[in-house]
């Protein structure tokens, strides 16, 4: 039934959110009945090719989903889901980078508030929306048939999504990044009276020892967690909770570091001591200013971690409930 | 070639238009007794009216939203199925539609 589930999933993607569950349940029941009837007739399980034939007769996911949508005028029901998808992706692609650039300016130098005129963004959004709508309206008017554009096949549908699966490439990337970070961090910031950072002599407050060991411990713990995720690539409640705790501690320590004025002195060859003092104060000020942004980013990361734990708990409860009723 | 394709598309569009109203009538008539989607399709097919699932279910939804049908989810043979039947309003409308259909049919038979 993998092919059938993938087919239903592909249809579900294009359906109106409020009716998704209902429509899919009904369609699923019909298709399963068809398959069962055919199996009874043949006296054996259907092969993938036979299931594929049933699904192909039913129609491509986009065509099936489009029949459940109300009639549109400028852009018809077949093209409309695709239009919305493209528009959303374009608008996100337009808004997010600008917001990040704006945030970056704010973090680097709060005096540049408003340097990047955000009002320009609305004009850009309007342009994007207008030209996307225009392009789709032209396609609609020209009568291009979506089904004819590609040789659709149920076998080519994306595999079933599992939000609790951890892609191995993610774990490998994390392991690589943490390992490189650990080596660099230990070699550069090992607690000592004066740290040599690419020619600059940096003196840190004694409290740096606490930060150093905290970061090192957390990074090593995350390395072990990513290693476990590599070999057991599914989130469990335990590992999701551990990731939440580790991220929480990491965020806490990092935010505390920003408020600590940990930088005591910087000495750079060819830089006058007075200017070096100004630079030291400037960096400490930047770090202090970044505190609230760090809090905001930490909250987003932790909210995602909490969501993962809640999702796993909910899934676990519903499984137990199903078993209890079985 | 393109003229032939154009004619075929035009015929398809007209055929679909012609069928659309007939299908609503056929579906309503079969739902005097309660049925779920799959058995409704089979019942219609036995009467010579083939209707695919992609057409039937949106049609059922539309008829229900217009108040002509009522539906209920119920478990049968270990699976949840949505059962439809005519609503009181649907019964009235069906009677009117049947009269209308017979009138059109008689007229068309005279013309054709």
């Amino acid at each position: 039934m993998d092919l059938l589930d993938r087919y239903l999933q592909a249809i579900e993607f294009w359906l109106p959110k409020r009716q998704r569950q209902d429509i899919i349940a009904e369609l699923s029941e019909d298709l399963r009945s068809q398959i069962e009837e055919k199996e009874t007739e043949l006296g054996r399980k259907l092969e993938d090719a036979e299931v594929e034939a049933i699904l192909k007769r039913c129609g491509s996911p986009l065509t099936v989903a489009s029949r459940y949508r109300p009639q549109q005028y400028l852009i018809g029901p077949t093209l409309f889901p695709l239009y919305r998808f493209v528009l959303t992706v374009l608008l996100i692609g337009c808004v997010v980078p600008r917001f990040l650039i704006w945030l970056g300016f704010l973090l680097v130098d709060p005096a540049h508030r408003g340097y990047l005129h955000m009002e320009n963004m609305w004009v850009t959004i309007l342009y994007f929306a207008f030209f996307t709508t225009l392009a789709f309206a032209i396609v609609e008017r020209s009568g291009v048939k979506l089904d004819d554009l590609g040789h659709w096949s149920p076998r080519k549908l994306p595999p079933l999504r599992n939000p609790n699966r951890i892609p191995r490439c993610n774990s490998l990337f994390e392991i690589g990044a943490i390992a490189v970070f650990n080596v660099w961090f230990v070699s550069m910031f090992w607690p000592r009276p004066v740290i040599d950072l690419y020619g600059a002599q940096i003196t840190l407050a004694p409290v740096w020892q606490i930060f150093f060991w905290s970061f090192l411990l957390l990074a090593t713990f995350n390395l072990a967690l990513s290693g476990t995720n590599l070999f057991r690539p599914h989130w469990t409640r335990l590992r999701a909770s551990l990731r939440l705790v580790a991220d929480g501690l990491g965020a806490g320590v990092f935010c505390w570091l920003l408020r600590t004025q940990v930088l005591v002195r910087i000495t750079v060859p060819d830089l006058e001591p007075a200017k070096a003092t100004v630079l030291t104060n400037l960096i400490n000020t930047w770090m202090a200013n970044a505190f609230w942004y760090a809090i905001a980013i930490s909250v987003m990361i932790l909210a995602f971690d909490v969501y993962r734990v809640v999702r796993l708990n909910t899934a676990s409860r519903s499984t137990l409930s199903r078993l209890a009723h079985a | 070639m393109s003229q032939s394709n154009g004619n075929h598309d035009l015929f398809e569009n007209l055929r679909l238009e012609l069928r659309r109203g007939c299908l609503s009538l056929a579906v309503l008539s079969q739902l005097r007794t309660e049925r779920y989607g799959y058995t409704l399709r089979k019942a219609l097919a036995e009467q010579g009216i083939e209707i695919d699932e992609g057409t039937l279910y949106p049609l059922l939804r539309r008829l229900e939203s217009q108040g002509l049908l009522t539906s209920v989810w119920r478990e049968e043979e270990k699976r949840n199925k949505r059962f439809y039947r005519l609503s009181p309003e649907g019964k009235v409308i069906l009677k009117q539609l049947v009269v209308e259909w017979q009138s059109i049919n008689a007229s068309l038979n005279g013309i054709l």
Side-chain angles (χ1 to χ4, degrees), chain B residues 32-83:
Chain B
R32 289 186 181 107
T33 52
E34 190 182 60
R35 291 175 201 274
Y36 62 93
Y38 186 63
T39 52
L40 174 59
R41 281 208 306 126
K42 289 187 72 175
L44 287 168
E46 278 167 16
Q47 302 293 327
I49 298 176
E50 296 283 349
I51 179 167
D52 59 69
E53 52 279 272
T55 305
L56 177 65
Y57 291 112
L59 173 62
L60 287 171
R61 261 160 208 284
R62 198 165 61 247
L63 293 172
E64 189 183 22
S65 70
Q66 289 165 344
L68 304 182
L69 299 178
T70 56
S71 76
V72 60
W73 281 98
R74 204 166 58 235
E75 193 175 297
E76 189 182 83
E77 293 164 352
K78 294 181 183 174
R79 281 223 298 262
N80 270 329
K81 292 166 181 175
R82 189 176 191 169
F83 288 84

Side-chain angles (χ1 to χ4, degrees), chain A residues 41-268:
Chain A
E41 188 186 317
L42 297 171
R44 61 168 171 80
K45 287 267 175 203
L46 289 195
E47 289 173 5
D48 274 359
E50 289 163 317
V51 176
E52 192 180 349
I54 292 174
L55 301 183
K56 285 208 81 160
R57 192 191 50 71
C58 188
S60 80
L62 191 57
T63 309
V64 173
S66 69
R67 289 177 181 148
Y68 288 91
R69 288 199 168 268
Q71 192 179 353
Q72 311 294 320
Y73 295 96
L74 186 61
I75 295 163
T78 308
L79 274 180
F80 194 72
L82 190 61
Y83 163 72
R84 271 178 28 150
F85 180 70
V86 171
L87 196 61
T88 309
V89 170
L90 281 175
L91 292 183
I92 289 173
C94 163
V95 172
V96 171
R98 270 173 172 266
F99 176 74
L100 289 177
I101 292 168
W102 175 71
L103 194 68
F105 268 104
L106 234 60
L107 284 173
V108 172
D109 187 357
H112 276 91
R113 264 169 221 263
Y115 174 81
L116 209 71
H117 295 293
M118 290 294 280
E119 60 262 34
N120 285 349
M121 191 174 73
W122 299 112
V123 179
T124 316
I125 286 173
L126 277 176
Y127 272 118
F128 269 114
F130 172 74
F131 284 112
T132 309
T133 309
L134 184 67
F136 272 86
I138 290 170
V139 171
E140 179 70 37
R141 297 286 289 181
S142 66
V144 174
K145 288 183 181 172
L146 279 185
D147 283 356
D148 294 344
L149 290 178
H151 298 289
W152 174 79
S153 160
R155 286 175 190 274
K156 288 180 185 167
L157 294 171
L160 285 177
R161 277 188 296 274
N162 179 357
N164 295 324
R165 199 179 74 79
I166 308 164
R168 285 209 157 88
C169 58
N170 284 14
S171 301
L172 278 172
F173 176 77
E174 280 178 11
I175 290 168
I178 296 171
V180 169
F181 170 79
N182 268 6
V183 171
W184 175 80
F185 187 67
V186 168
S187 63
M188 287 293 176
F189 292 100
W190 186 272
R192 50 194 185 273
V194 176
I195 292 170
D196 186 283
L197 189 68
Y198 306 114
Q201 306 294 310
I202 293 172
T203 308
L204 296 172
V207 74
W208 171 247
Q209 288 216 15
I210 298 173
F211 293 120
F212 176 83
W213 289 111
S214 304
F215 284 132
L216 195 60
L217 269 173
L218 282 167
T220 310
F221 175 78
N222 278 325
L223 189 65
L225 194 60
S226 299
T228 313
N229 288 345
L230 181 65
F231 294 104
R232 295 174 185 276
H234 284 89
W235 284 111
T236 61
R237 279 190 291 174
L238 175 66
R239 269 183 282 150
S241 305
L242 286 174
R243 172 54 62 90
L244 170 65
V245 172
D247 283 352
L249 288 173
V253 172
F254 184 69
C255 291
W256 180 26
L257 168 71
L258 293 176
R259 293 288 258 195
T260 311
Q261 305 271 307
V262 74
L263 193 60
V264 174
R265 189 169 40 253
I266 298 178
T267 313
V268 185

Side-chain angles (χ1 to χ4, degrees), chain B:
Chain B
M1 185 71 179
S2 62
Q3 178 73 32
S4 163
N5 282 343
N7 282 344
H8 180 261
D9 287 351
L10 187 61
F11 169 72
E12 268 305 305
N13 283 339
L14 290 169
R15 193 180 70 86
L16 287 174
E17 267 182 42
L18 192 62
R19 263 173 64 91
R20 198 168 293 137
C22 301
L23 286 178
S24 299
L25 184 58
V27 165
L28 288 172
S29 72
Q30 289 298 303
L31 289 176
R32 289 186 181 107
T33 52
E34 190 182 60
R35 291 175 201 274
Y36 62 93
Y38 186 63
T39 52
L40 174 59
R41 281 208 306 126
K42 289 187 72 175
L44 287 168
E46 278 167 16
Q47 302 293 327
I49 298 176
E50 296 283 349
I51 179 167
D52 59 69
E53 52 279 272
T55 305
L56 177 65
Y57 291 112
L59 173 62
L60 287 171
R61 261 160 208 284
R62 198 165 61 247
L63 293 172
E64 189 183 22
S65 70
Q66 289 165 344
L68 304 182
L69 299 178
T70 56
S71 76
V72 60
W73 281 98
R74 204 166 58 235
E75 193 175 297
E76 189 182 83
E77 293 164 352
K78 294 181 183 174
R79 281 223 298 262
N80 270 329
K81 292 166 181 175
R82 189 176 191 169
F83 288 84
Y84 294 90
R85 70 178 313 148
L86 274 180
S87 67
E89 194 186 344
K91 285 177 186 167
V92 174
I93 295 283
L94 176 61
K95 272 184 192 167
Q96 294 171 342
L97 285 175
V98 169
V99 171
E100 184 66 20
W101 167 256
Q102 284 165 346
S103 161
I104 292 172
N105 197 31
S107 302
L108 278 175
N109 277 337
I111 295 169
L112 301 173

